[in-house]
Amino acid sequence: MFEEIKTALEEELDVPTELITPDAEFVNDLKLNSLELADLVVLCEEKFEVEIEEQDIHTLITVGDLVDYLETKTGK
């Protein structure tokens, strides 16, 4: 799951590969703005066929948080 999210960040949002780690924060480390974060949520919802609850979005601070969240939602 991490690799799929990493690929999406690289290809869709032009985030440099070397910055993407499980501990990387979307805003502070990867420098994503609110529009890019919204794009990432939509990409993940489509790719993993899940709905990311609006109240949960604010808890997804790092790449690892998103991976854990999606693994829980998808059961993988």
Side-chain angles (χ1 to χ4, degrees), residues 46-63:
E46 291 173 355
K47 183 170 192 67
F48 300 107
E49 298 178 348
V50 298
E51 182 178 341
I52 299 175
E53 304 295 331
E54 191 169 335
Q55 67 269 16
D56 293 340
I57 292 171
H58 305 291
T59 67
L60 306 175
I61 307 299
T62 67
V63 175

Side-chain angles (χ1 to χ4, degrees), residues 22-57:
D23 295 329
E25 294 184 9
F26 293 113
V27 175
N28 294 330
D29 300 324
L30 305 183
K31 307 297 185 209
L32 298 184
N33 62 37
S34 58
L35 183 58
E36 290 167 323
L37 287 170
D39 287 345
L40 179 61
V41 167
V42 171
L43 283 168
C44 288
E45 287 179 330
E46 291 173 355
K47 183 170 192 67
F48 300 107
E49 298 178 348
V50 298
E51 182 178 341
I52 299 175
E53 304 295 331
E54 191 169 335
Q55 67 269 16
D56 293 340
I57 292 171

